[in-house]
Amino acid sequence: LLTVSPNPENGRCILLFDSDYEGSVMVESFDLYGRPIHRDELRKHSGPLSHELDFNAQGAGMYLVRVTAGTSRTFVKWINAGK
């Protein structure tokens, strides 16, 4: 399960990834043109993984957040309502 909240929000959001997977997790975000914005490699242990993403340097709009855990990829849309 992957959620990003609050959605929409002004600049910052919290990603919550809840899965039985344990190991390396890649968190990436992109604008709708596919241009990368964030790329963070995290380590997930038992329980949910929480990670803050800061979009304050980007303008208002829709963004895609992708989480790769092992061979599994999950996407979620997030709306930056702007400042």
Side-chain angles (χ1 to χ4, degrees), residues 1-76:
L1 176 66
L2 175 64
T3 58
V4 176
S5 64
N7 192 5
E9 181 53 71
N10 298 328
R12 291 178 185 257
C13 64
I14 301 293
L15 175 138
L16 183 64
F17 178 59
D18 195 4
S19 150
D20 291 337
Y21 176 82
E22 292 184 27
S24 178
V25 174
M26 185 65 66
V27 176
E28 300 166 284
S29 63
F30 306 89
D31 65 16
L32 291 183
Y33 296 103
R35 293 180 293 220
I37 300 192
H38 299 102
R39 187 171 199 268
D40 299 310
E41 187 168 355
L42 308 172
R43 190 89 184 140
K44 184 179 178 306
H45 303 284
S46 63
L49 172 70
S50 179
H51 183 63
E52 182 178 81
L53 295 172
D54 185 344
F55 288 87
N56 280 310
Q58 282 66 49
M62 186 179 300
Y63 296 88
L64 298 175
V65 178
R66 175 174 70 192
V67 172
T68 305
T71 59
S72 175
R73 280 190 176 165
T74 307
F75 290 86
V76 67

